[in-house]
Amino acid sequence: MISLPRRWVTTIRSLLVLIPALGLAAGFLLVASGRGGGAGTVWALATVPVVATLLVQIVVSLRRGDTGLDIVAALSMGGALLLGEPLAAVVVALMYAGGQYLETFAERRATREMAALVARAPRSALRYAQDGLSEVPIEAVKPGDRLLVRKGEVVPVDGRVADGIALIDLSALTGESLPVTLAPHAEIPSGALNAGAPFDLLADRPASESTYAGIVRLVEAAREAKAPIGRLADRYALVFLAVVLVIAGGAYAASGDPVRALAVLVTATPCPLILAVPVALIAGVSRAARRGVLVKGAGVLEALAGIRCAVVDKTGTLTQGQASLVAIEPMGDLPEAELLRLAASLDQASQHVVAASLVHAAQARGLTLSMPRNVEETPGEGVEGDVAGRRVRVGGIDYVRSALRGGVLHDVPRSPGTLRVAIAVDGLPAGLLLLADELRAEAAGALASWRRSGVERIVLASGDRRDVAEHIGAALGVDEVRAGLRPEDKVAIVEEERRRGPVMMLGDGVNDAPALAAATLGVAMGARGAAASSEAADAVLMTDRLDRLGEAMAIARRSLGIARQSVIVGIGLSFLAMAIAAAGWLSPVQGALVQEAIDVAVILNALRALGGPPPGA
C-alpha cells in the first residue's frame, strides 16, 4: 500500500475486500433471478475499485524505483475485463484484496507483542507534592521526584523502591512469568508492572531517558526496517514478471486462445515471496521481543541467524558490572555481620562506588545502619569516622595500616579481579571485606548456546587488566582474550574479525558504542545500559540475561528457515499451477482459486514462526 497510517491501510484493505465480495454475490443473485445479463456489468464494476487502487500503488512504487509484483495482478484483472471474463476479473479482485487483507491480519498478529509494548507505555505519573499527590504528564517527572505506583500500574520511569516491598511483574520486558519481590532501594526499570500493593518510587531518570522510552523508540525502528531477504521480491520482480509473461505468451502461441494466457496470469497473482517473507520474519521479531530481546527489524533478525563470530565486552556484559561482596574475613572479636554493619554505616557518607556496594550489601542482609559522625574522607584511599561510639576506618590496606595503634593487619591471597577493603575499629585491625565483579551465573551456558547456533569463534575484548580478563576468559572457554583496550582498539578487533565472516559485538557501555556500530550486528546488554550503546546497537537485551541472546539466535534461525521454506514451496506451487493453466486444464476462475489457496497456505506456514518448540530446544 501507499505509505499511510496503519489504521488507514487496514480500513482501505477491508473495503477492497468488501466491494468485490458484495459485487460477486450480487451478480450471482441476478443470475439466480433470471436476470443474468446484468451480472457481468456488476462484476466488472466491482473489480474497478481494486484495479484503480492497485494502479495507483504501482505508480507510487515505480516512482520510488521499486518494480512490484503487483503488476501481475493488474495485468490479470485488466486482461480479464478486456477479454470479456468479468467473473474471472471479480474473483481475481476478491482473491487479491483478500490476500492483501490476510497479509495485514497476519502482520498484525505477528507484531502483537511489539504493539503491546508500545500501547502500554505510561502517559502520566502520580507525584508527591507539598499539598499531596498530583497527576502530572510523564514528561514532567524529574530525577529525585517521589512517585506513587498503584497496583496494576506500569512503572512510569526508571527508579528505586523508596521504602517497603514491591512485587513487580517483569513479563512484558523480560518474558519472566513469575513476579519478583524487590526490597527498599532496589532498582526498577520503567515498563514493569506493579503486581502487589502500592509503593513509592524515587525517580532516577527523566522519562525521555528511561528504559521504556528507549524500548518504544526501538520498536518503532523495528517496524519500519526491511529484511534483505524481503528485498529479494523487489530485486527479482522483473525476472519473475518476465517468466510469467513468457509462460503466458507460450500458452497463447501454442493454443491461439487468449483466455488460456489469462489463466496463467491469474495463477501467478500474487507471488508468495511478498507475502510469506515479511510475515515469517516479523513473527520472529515479535517472538524475540516476547523473550526479552528487541531487534530493530527483520533485517537484524536475518543477520542474527548468520553470525559466525562474537566479540564480547567483559565488564557489565559477562560480569555483573559492579563490585559485590563475596567474602568477609574477620581479624578480631567482631562477628561478620557487625563488621559489615560498621563499614557500611561509615560508607554512607562516601560517594565512592565501592562504598555504595558495601551499603547495598548490608541493606540486602537486613542490617540496621547507624549514622556516621565526624567523617573524614581521603579521596581514592578511604574514609574514617565515628559509628555508634566507635572510631572506624575503612579503605585500602595501606591506608588502614597507617592508623593502627596495635595489632597486625594481615593480607590474604586474592584471585584476579578481587578487591580488598580493610577495616580498623578503635585503632585495631578488624578484618577484610573481599569484593569482586562476579561472572554472570548464566554466562557459560549462554556462550555454549551461541556455539550451538553457529557461532564458531568468541573473542573477549576488555579494557580491564590482562590477568583479570584472562581469568574470566579461561572460566568461559573463549577462543581469544584481548585486554587493556581503548574504544578504538575494540573497533579494530571487530573490523579484523569481519574479514572472517559476520561478526556480532555485545557490550553495555558508552565505550562500546563505536564497536557496536562497526559490527555486522551490534547488541547492547540490558535496556538500562548506556543510551549511546543502545542507540548504536541493532538489538537490545531488555533484561540483563545473556542466555536470552542464544534464544533469539534460535528464533532467528527458525524464522528464516520458515520464510525460505514458504518461498520455495509457494513459488514451486505457483509455477506448477501456471504450467497446468498453460496446458488448458485450469480456467481463469479456477486458477484464481488455486492461487489463493497457495497464498493462504504460505501465510499460515509463515505464522508458524510465532510458536514452535522453546527457543534453543
Side-chain angles (χ1 to χ4, degrees):
M1 294 296 294
I2 303 171
S3 181
L4 294 172
R6 289 177 181 271
R7 65 178 183 276
W8 289 20
V9 171
T10 302
T11 301
I12 292 172
R13 286 184 170 177
S14 300
L15 289 174
L16 289 180
V17 172
L18 186 62
I19 292 171
L22 292 176
L24 186 64
F28 280 125
L29 284 176
L30 289 174
V31 173
S33 63
R35 292 176 290 176
T41 302
V42 172
W43 290 332
L45 290 175
T47 305
V48 170
V50 179
V51 176
T53 303
L54 185 54
L55 290 175
V56 172
Q57 184 175 337
I58 290 171
V59 170
V60 172
S61 298
L62 290 174
R63 286 180 175 177
R64 291 199 306 258
D66 297 333
T67 307
L69 292 168
D70 292 332
I71 294 175
V72 180
L75 287 174
S76 61
M77 282 183 275
L81 292 176
L82 291 174
L83 293 175
E85 295 279 349
L87 177 57
V90 75
V91 169
V92 173
L94 179 59
M95 296 300 121
Y96 178 78
Q100 293 284 297
Y101 182 79
L102 182 59
E103 180 187 11
T104 300
F105 169 79
E107 286 186 349
R108 189 165 62 242
R109 184 170 185 267
T111 59
R112 60 187 175 184
E113 275 76 26
M114 293 192 297
L117 283 172
V118 175
R120 68 194 295 278
R123 302 287 186 267
S124 62
L126 283 175
R127 183 172 64 185
Y128 285 95
Q130 292 182 349
D131 55 350
L133 284 169
S134 62
E135 187 169 2
V136 298
I138 192 171
E139 295 81 10
V141 176
K142 302 183 298 295
D145 284 350
R146 191 181 183 99
L147 310 175
L148 175 66
V149 183
R150 294 172 294 193
K151 183 175 182 179
E153 288 185 339
V154 174
V155 176
V157 296
D158 295 344
R160 299 171 183 270
V161 180
D163 47 47
I165 300 296
L167 185 65
I168 298 299
D169 180 358
L170 295 169
S171 59
L173 298 178
T174 68
E176 295 289 350
S177 58
L178 298 177
V180 296
T181 300
L182 300 179
H185 310 292
E187 296 181 351
I188 302 181
S190 57
L193 181 73
N194 181 13
F199 67 92
D200 288 351
L201 178 80
L202 290 177
D204 282 346
R205 303 184 188 183
S208 61
E209 300 176 10
S210 69
T211 296
Y212 209 67
I215 289 172
V216 170
R217 287 194 296 270
L218 293 174
V219 168
E220 295 298 340
R223 283 176 163 179
E224 300 302 324
K226 192 172 185 181
I229 190 173
R231 287 191 288 268
L232 286 176
D234 303 326
R235 188 181 308 167
Y236 295 113
L238 284 175
V239 175
F240 183 82
L241 177 60
V243 171
V244 170
L245 292 178
V246 167
I247 296 175
Y252 175 68
S255 65
D257 184 3
V259 175
R260 187 177 295 189
L262 175 63
V264 172
L265 290 176
V266 166
T267 56
T269 310
C271 175
L273 183 59
I274 61 176
L275 296 175
V277 171
V279 170
L281 294 184
I282 291 299
V285 170
S286 191
R287 192 180 182 200
R290 192 191 316 163
R291 297 302 301 159
V293 183
L294 189 59
V295 299
K296 297 181 182 178
V300 176
L301 194 79
E302 185 178 347
L304 188 60
I307 293 300
R308 292 294 173 263
C309 173
V311 178
V312 191
D313 174 51
K314 180 186 75 66
T315 305
T317 304
L318 295 175
T319 65
Q320 298 291 345
Q322 59 183 8
S324 57
L325 184 65
V326 295
I328 301 176
E329 299 283 348
M331 294 181 180
D333 297 331
L334 292 176
E336 291 185 4
E338 180 63 10
L339 192 64
L340 175 59
R341 191 188 76 83
L342 290 174
S345 295
L346 178 60
D347 272 341
Q348 291 179 105
S350 174
Q351 297 295 317
H352 197 280
V353 63
V354 173
S357 296
L358 291 179
V359 172
H360 178 75
Q363 291 172 337
R365 287 166 170 77
L367 302 179
T368 302
L369 303 184
S370 303
M371 284 301 297
R373 302 181 182 277
N374 304 318
V375 177
E376 299 175 4
E377 183 169 9
T378 303
E381 295 189 25
V383 60
E384 184 175 7
D386 297 327
V387 178
R390 312 192 73 168
R391 191 66 177 174
V392 180
R393 192 175 178 94
V394 179
I397 290 179
D398 292 338
Y399 171 76
V400 173
R401 276 176 177 165
S402 66
L404 293 179
R405 297 200 304 267
V408 179
L409 179 60
H410 298 287
D411 202 349
V412 296
R414 65 185 181 97
S415 60
T418 302
L419 175 67
R420 296 159 298 180
V421 175
I423 306 171
V425 178
D426 296 329
L428 297 176
L432 294 174
L433 302 177
L434 303 182
L435 297 94
D437 184 8
E438 293 187 287
L439 193 65
R440 292 180 182 273
E442 78 280 7
L447 268 60
S449 72
W450 299 359
R451 294 191 187 278
R452 289 194 299 271
S453 295
V455 176
E456 300 166 353
R457 177 174 165 81
I458 299 176
V459 178
L460 173 58
S462 174
D464 210 339
R465 302 193 317 268
R466 173 159 292 278
D467 61 333
V468 176
E470 288 182 344
H471 176 73
I472 296 294
L476 295 176
V478 302
D479 297 288
E480 185 176 356
V481 175
R482 306 285 287 271
L485 303 175
R486 298 168 298 176
E488 56 267 32
D489 298 327
K490 292 185 179 182
V491 172
I493 291 172
V494 167
E495 292 176 345
E496 176 185 331
E497 296 296 334
R498 284 193 69 168
R499 291 194 285 270
R500 308 185 187 197
V503 176
M504 174 180 70
M505 171 67 195
L506 178 63
D508 76 322
V510 173
N511 63 325
D512 296 321
L516 290 171
T520 309
L521 179 72
V523 181
M525 183 65 199
R528 287 184 63 90
S533 63
S534 294
E535 293 297 329
D538 300 297
V540 176
L541 301 185
M542 294 188 289
T543 176
D544 288 339
R545 291 270 303 272
L546 283 174
D547 52 344
R548 295 300 173 84
L549 184 55
E551 293 181 9
M553 289 181 178
I555 290 171
R557 292 199 329 276
R558 184 170 185 271
S559 300
L560 191 62
I562 289 174
R564 287 171 174 162
Q565 177 191 81
S566 297
V567 168
I568 293 171
V569 173
I571 292 293
L573 290 175
S574 293
F575 277 116
L576 177 62
M578 281 188 277
I580 294 174
W585 296 335
L586 283 178
S587 69
V589 173
Q590 292 170 333
L593 294 174
V594 168
Q595 184 57 51
E596 183 62 16
I598 295 172
D599 293 339
V600 171
V602 297
I603 287 179
L604 292 178
N605 184 64
L607 282 174
R608 290 194 301 114
L610 279 173

